Amino acid sequence: MHRRNFLLLGGVGLSRLYAASSDFWNKKDPADWTGAEKDQLTNKSPWAKEITVSNSPYGSMGRAMGMPYPGYPPGYPGMGGPRGSAGQSYKGVIRWESARPVRDALKEPLPEGFENMYVISVGGIPLNAGSRSQSSSQYPSRYPSQYPPQQQQDDSPESDQKLLDRMRGATLLEPKDKRYLQPALVVQQPAGYGNVYFGFAKDIVTLRPEDREVGFATQFGLIQVKTKFYLKDMLYHGELAV
């Protein structure tokens, strides 16, 4: 028993030590960040969450009963029946794109139209995930550009723009104890095979470190995609970076 407690405490200590040593973004100038550090910041950090999502016919009571997800009308392809393709899983990254350290790491501007917005992206998951009509190719979220559009076979009954419009109605940014936001703008960049960017107007809700956490949720085809960001960890040189 004592040995088990020791191991648990040791694990906590190592976790804290790793967290402290990985806070390079507050200790080094962006010009001195290594490639590995940039990769960590943009894929596994307070601003970037690696996720694994799947489509299961037994994933929820609503799905088993054929009930639509928020923003998806009854009869949407694959809802609650054999028209969906079950058992598929995807690895992706949800990233707070408008945060200054992310921009410092990527060294490229946000897509046009996202000025004065909180911008979150999701990469690595097909727009029509979980349905039989989804794109047949998948790409790693970290390196979407190495898979050119011609390798993505789109046999979807809906255009990408219709899927993005539908996704917009199913997406929420939920600060703790504040009103939720829905995106003012949703685009895929590069079009056809890139990450999906969601823009939320900053002038509606101002985020502060004391707000503690912000939930993000959206829907890719039949699969719900969600995570939480913890604002106290998203400090960049003493200021909240969102």
Side-chain angles (χ1 to χ4, degrees):
M1 185 69 175
H2 290 170
R3 176 176 173 79
R4 182 171 181 269
N5 288 340
F6 173 79
L7 289 174
L8 287 173
L9 290 172
V12 171
L14 288 173
S15 175
R16 288 176 179 171
L17 178 62
Y18 174 79
S21 64
S22 65
D23 187 21
F24 63 87
W25 48 81
N26 285 322
K27 299 173 181 176
K28 298 170 63 176
D29 188 272
D32 297 326
W33 295 349
T34 67
E37 287 171 337
K38 292 177 183 179
D39 186 69
Q40 178 187 335
L41 194 149
T42 55
N43 290 282
K44 194 174 182 180
S45 74
W47 295 276
K49 310 292 183 178
E50 292 183 330
I51 58 167
T52 300
V53 294
S54 63
N55 176 42
S56 168
Y58 310 108
S60 70
M61 182 63 71
R63 223 176 305 178
M65 296 176 65
M67 296 171 63
Y69 291 94
Y72 288 75
Y76 183 71
M79 280 298 173
R83 297 176 68 186
S85 183
Q88 296 169 309
S89 63
Y90 311 89
K91 294 183 182 294
V93 173
I94 303 177
R95 184 163 59 216
W96 204 297
E97 294 281 352
S98 54
R100 183 182 160 196
V102 173
R103 304 322 316 157
D104 285 348
L106 296 176
K107 296 187 181 300
E108 59 186 30
L110 286 167
E112 186 177 352
F114 285 102
E115 297 80 10
N116 199 34
M117 290 186 182
Y118 303 118
V119 183
I120 293 175
S121 75
V122 180
I125 304 175
L127 293 183
N128 214 9
S131 70
R132 290 181 178 177
S133 58
Q134 72 176 64
S135 171
S136 60
S137 289
Q138 297 178 41
Y139 52 82
S141 61
R142 299 184 186 185
Y143 309 108
S145 60
Q146 66 178 319
Y147 291 81
Q150 59 267 29
Q151 293 182 12
Q152 306 280 332
Q153 298 184 14
D154 182 14
D155 56 356
S156 172
E158 291 190 283
S159 69
D160 284 355
Q161 188 55 55
K162 285 185 178 179
L163 291 170
L164 291 170
D165 291 343
R166 196 182 298 280
M167 192 181 296
R168 178 179 174 184
T171 302
L172 295 176
L173 189 66
E174 301 181 274
K176 190 175 180 64
D177 300 326
K178 288 187 175 182
R179 62 167 295 181
Y180 69 82
L181 299 173
Q182 288 194 282
L185 181 62
V186 179
V187 300
Q188 190 177 36
Q189 184 67 31
Y193 67 105
N195 292 2
V196 178
Y197 289 74
F198 302 84
F200 304 86
K202 287 185 176 181
D203 57 3
I204 296 178
V205 171
T206 300
L207 297 177
R208 297 181 173 86
E210 54 266 29
D211 294 326
R212 293 188 291 176
E213 64 184 49
V214 179
F216 170 81
T218 188
Q219 194 81 28
F220 278 69
L222 306 184
I223 296 179
Q224 188 178 49
V225 175
K226 61 182 180 179
T227 194
K228 285 187 177 180
F229 292 91
Y230 298 94
L231 299 180
K232 66 181 178 62
D233 297 327
M234 299 169 69
L235 299 179
Y236 188 48
H237 301 298
E239 296 184 358
L240 179 64
V242 290

